[in-house]
Amino acid sequence: MDFLSYLINGLGLGSVYAIIALGYTMVYGIAKMLNFAHGDVIMVGAYVAFFSISNLGLPLIPAVLLSIVVCTVLGVVIERLAYKPLRAASALSVLITAIGVSYFLQNAAQLLWSSSTKVFPSVISNGGISWNGLTVSWLTLITIGVCVLVMICLTLFINHTKTGRAMRACSEDKGASTLMGINVNLMISITFAIGSGLAAIASVLLCAAYPSVFPTLGAMPGIKAFTAAVFGGIGSIPGAFLGGLLLGVIEIFAKAYISTQLSDAIVFAVLILVLLIKPTGLLGKRIREKV
Amino acid sequence: MLKITDLKVSYGMIEAIKGISFEVNDGEIVTLIGANGAGKTTTMHAISGLLKPKAGSITLNGTELTKLPPHKIVGMGLAQVPEGRRVFAQQTVEENLALGAYSRKDKDAIEADLADVFTLFPRLLERRKQMAGTLSGGEQQMLAMGRALMAKPSILLLDEPSMGLSPLLVSEIFHIIVEINRKGTTILLVEQNAIRALDIANRAYVLETGHITISDTGEKLMKDERVKEAYLGG
């Protein structure tokens, strides 16, 4: 029973990684950049949810919606102000800018809300469902459920809508997309909006599990989710889900069976191993070229 | 009518197009021939908005295209089949064609045009569910042309449509270009295969290192000694 319980908890943690990893992978797929400020958008989302619940007294769902709105706008604004002017610049300049945006957000949060940790209110009731001695908390169930729902909606959107098709076209060839009449800048904005909105959802799930809110809270989940995206094959949406879930399960198993202290090291060792065997990640696209 | 006046395009400090003027009248097939690096593709990209010109004007039926955002140009009735086809390899043939009609809102007419494209290229109908990346070079060229036609352009720009194709396929592609033109679409064709291009063109321009050096009817250029020597293999 322990094994099953660890597995489900791993999937719960992995679901959060997967939702965050989507932001990295979608932005990479379309804008071909690593948005290292993505983790800090999670942090902003967490603060917005915290203040909405604790100070404004909003119920959970409106608080989450407000957090989504704020993060979506923030993501689009970051892209417009920091990344769009660098569209023609080298990948390195964009990367350094993204790291700069990350530090900017962390320090702005410290200035605005101080560096002291705030305790996120308990928003999801403690119990859970038990079956044959196996107990799964509501939070874990909700987290996995949200992840599945996000995956279904996003897959439908990307594969079966006109905008989704246009986004996939942009990820392949921006010039040819422009020739089709696709506004590439708009598609990049939409991508940042979706990724940042998902970051807000992830922030609430994360804070419900680990109820502390502080200015650097996004850093570690951000790095883990980025790892998950690379693990699954960066640029691939199913890859982000698979990578996120696997990473969560590996982390929980490593903590349970090997060592709590070494769990992160084990996670990254597995990543290195996967990349050695399959450099494009588990579901990464091989670059196909045909003349 | 597409009218290009004193067009200059630069890559950084290097001026690739040094002030060219030409026009394409409604219903014509006009070809731009020239050696590698003469600036043919650069000219095409400037017209379709992928490159911002340094100076000069490009008007389509009186509308200045250089002032429009690049993605608005196809909506003005100008579509381009880019060099190297550039189909969306990871989308199906059908999805590629739907993307061609991205700028249009007239659903019923789009359906009818899709049927027309399949009539023109029956091969695409057979392969409609297949990923574009799995098509042969000739099929990809057909898809790129069909995709451009889905925008219902009044003028179609074709950049090196014969590149990398077998002589038999080249004949088929040129036959289809004439067919498209006969149905009322104006054509601007860029080609290294000068014989084929001059053969179907009403008029032609010769582009040499960023300048237009010769212009005449296709028929006359075919007999022009300078053109013969430089582009038609003597």
Side-chain angles (χ1 to χ4, degrees):
Chain A
M1 273 308 122
D2 276 354
F3 175 79
L4 211 56
S5 147
Y6 293 143
L7 180 68
I8 292 171
N9 284 332
L11 290 176
L13 179 64
S15 293
V16 178
Y17 290 154
I19 296 171
I20 305 170
L22 279 172
Y24 283 106
T25 224
M26 286 178 73
V27 164
Y28 181 83
I30 290 183
K32 305 290 176 233
M33 64 160 290
L34 298 172
N35 178 20
F36 273 117
H38 188 57
D40 303 290
V41 175
I42 300 171
M43 176 272 296
V44 173
Y47 271 102
V48 172
F50 168 79
F51 286 121
S52 317
I53 296 169
S54 296
N55 294 28
L56 302 178
L58 290 182
L60 177 63
I61 300 294
V64 174
L65 291 178
L66 186 64
S67 176
I68 291 175
V69 170
V70 171
C71 285
T72 303
V73 172
L74 178 67
V76 171
V77 168
I78 289 173
E79 195 280 320
R80 274 292 147 90
L81 295 182
Y83 306 146
K84 195 180 169 196
L86 299 174
R87 211 47 58 81
S90 75
L92 195 61
S93 312
V94 184
L95 186 72
I96 290 167
T97 305
I99 293 170
V101 172
S102 169
Y103 280 119
F104 173 79
L105 289 176
Q106 288 178 12
N107 286 289
Q110 209 170 89
L111 198 68
L112 287 171
W113 305 311
S114 91
S115 57
S116 66
T117 300
K118 294 177 168 50
V119 180
F120 200 78
S122 139
V123 284
I124 292 165
S125 62
N126 270 331
I129 49 171
S130 298
W131 178 74
N132 269 357
L134 171 77
T135 306
V136 183
S137 71
W138 290 122
L139 176 62
T140 305
L141 284 177
I142 291 171
T143 305
I144 295 172
V146 168
C147 178
V148 170
L149 191 70
V150 164
M151 175 170 169
I152 292 170
C153 291
L154 203 62
T155 306
L156 288 177
F157 172 71
I158 292 290
N159 289 330
H160 299 287
T161 66
K162 191 174 170 176
T163 306
R165 200 153 49 219
M167 287 168 72
R168 281 187 288 140
C170 288
S171 82
E172 277 199 56
D173 187 334
K174 289 191 185 56
S177 300
T178 304
L179 291 178
M180 303 298 109
I182 296 167
N183 183 346
V184 174
N185 284 325
L186 179 66
M187 293 304 138
I188 292 176
S189 290
I190 293 175
T191 308
F192 270 85
I194 294 174
S196 306
L198 291 175
I201 296 175
S203 76
V204 176
L205 294 170
L206 196 70
C207 288
Y210 308 96
S212 353
V213 181
F214 49 97
T216 54
L217 102 93
M220 204 55 196
I223 286 289
K224 293 266 185 66
F226 169 66
T227 308
V230 175
F231 195 43
I234 193 145
S236 155
I237 287 175
F241 279 105
L242 185 67
L245 294 179
L246 280 176
L247 200 79
V249 171
I250 293 169
E251 184 176 329
I252 295 289
F253 278 165
K255 275 189 176 136
Y257 293 118
I258 305 171
S259 153
T260 310
Q261 279 86 15
L262 280 180
S263 70
D264 286 346
I266 292 165
V267 164
F268 288 106
V270 172
L271 170 80
I272 292 169
L273 205 65
V274 167
L275 292 184
L276 280 176
I277 297 164
K278 199 166 181 298
T280 52
L282 295 171
L283 301 181
K285 295 170 202 154
R286 267 182 309 260
I287 307 295
R288 250 184 318 202
E289 274 182 36
K290 193 159 187 175
V291 183
Chain B
M1 184 174 94
L2 179 69
K3 193 167 167 53
I4 283 90
T5 317
D6 291 327
L7 181 71
K8 288 181 183 165
V9 189
S10 304
Y11 296 101
M13 296 295 286
I14 300 152
E15 195 167 62
I17 299 294
K18 297 162 183 161
I20 62 169
S21 301
F22 65 97
E23 72 269 329
V24 186
N25 299 308
D26 291 346
E28 275 187 317
I29 298 181
V30 170
T31 183
L32 215 52
I33 60 174
N36 241 339
K40 304 187 300 287
T41 295
T42 304
T43 306
M44 294 296 240
H45 282 184
I47 296 172
S48 58
L50 292 183
L51 284 172
K52 267 262 168 282
K54 202 174 84 184
S57 116
I58 301 167
T59 61
L60 180 64
N61 304 322
T63 309
E64 181 64 51
L65 298 184
T66 54
K67 298 214 163 44
L68 288 176
H71 66 273
K72 297 267 190 210
I73 289 174
V74 64
M76 303 299 297
L78 183 146
Q80 184 183 344
V81 181
E83 182 180 9
R85 338 198 200 293
R86 291 169 77 169
V87 296
F88 299 107
Q90 296 175 35
Q91 302 207 36
T92 64
V93 167
E94 228 167 22
E95 287 178 313
N96 269 273
L97 294 172
L99 281 165
Y102 183 83
S103 58
R104 297 169 63 186
K105 303 267 182 282
D106 44 342
K107 260 200 163 147
D108 298 340
I110 292 174
E111 281 298 311
D113 288 336
L114 184 64
D116 285 349
V117 166
F118 284 143
T119 314
L120 200 58
F121 304 104
R123 208 90 67 84
L124 296 183
L125 181 63
E126 286 168 35
R127 305 204 182 283
R128 61 194 294 176
K129 300 284 180 204
Q130 212 168 309
M131 289 289 164
T134 65
L135 301 179
S136 71
E139 288 164 347
Q140 288 193 10
Q141 184 59 46
M142 291 174 189
L143 178 56
M145 288 169 72
R147 185 179 68 175
L149 288 175
M150 287 303 290
K152 210 173 182 54
S154 59
I155 177 164
L156 182 65
L157 274 59
L158 293 142
D159 196 348
E160 305 279 4
S162 75
M163 198 206 271
L165 302 183
S166 71
L168 203 67
L169 266 172
V170 173
S171 300
E172 194 178 336
I173 294 288
F174 273 84
H175 181 79
I176 292 168
I177 294 171
V178 173
E179 179 72 19
I180 292 168
N181 176 251
R182 208 180 48 78
K183 285 184 180 158
T185 309
T186 307
I187 305 274
L188 174 59
L189 171 68
V190 153
E191 260 294 344
Q192 281 193 51
N193 192 335
I195 302 180
R196 298 270 196 174
L198 291 175
D199 187 40
I200 64 165
N202 302 107
R203 292 186 304 112
Y205 295 89
V206 177
L207 196 58
E208 277 176 53
T209 57
H211 296 282
I212 285 178
T213 48
I214 311 170
S215 68
D216 211 326
T217 63
E219 216 174 329
K220 280 194 180 144
L221 282 190
M222 198 84 105
K223 296 182 187 113
D224 188 296
E225 285 306 322
R226 294 164 296 175
V227 174
K228 267 189 182 172
E229 198 172 321
Y231 305 107
L232 306 177

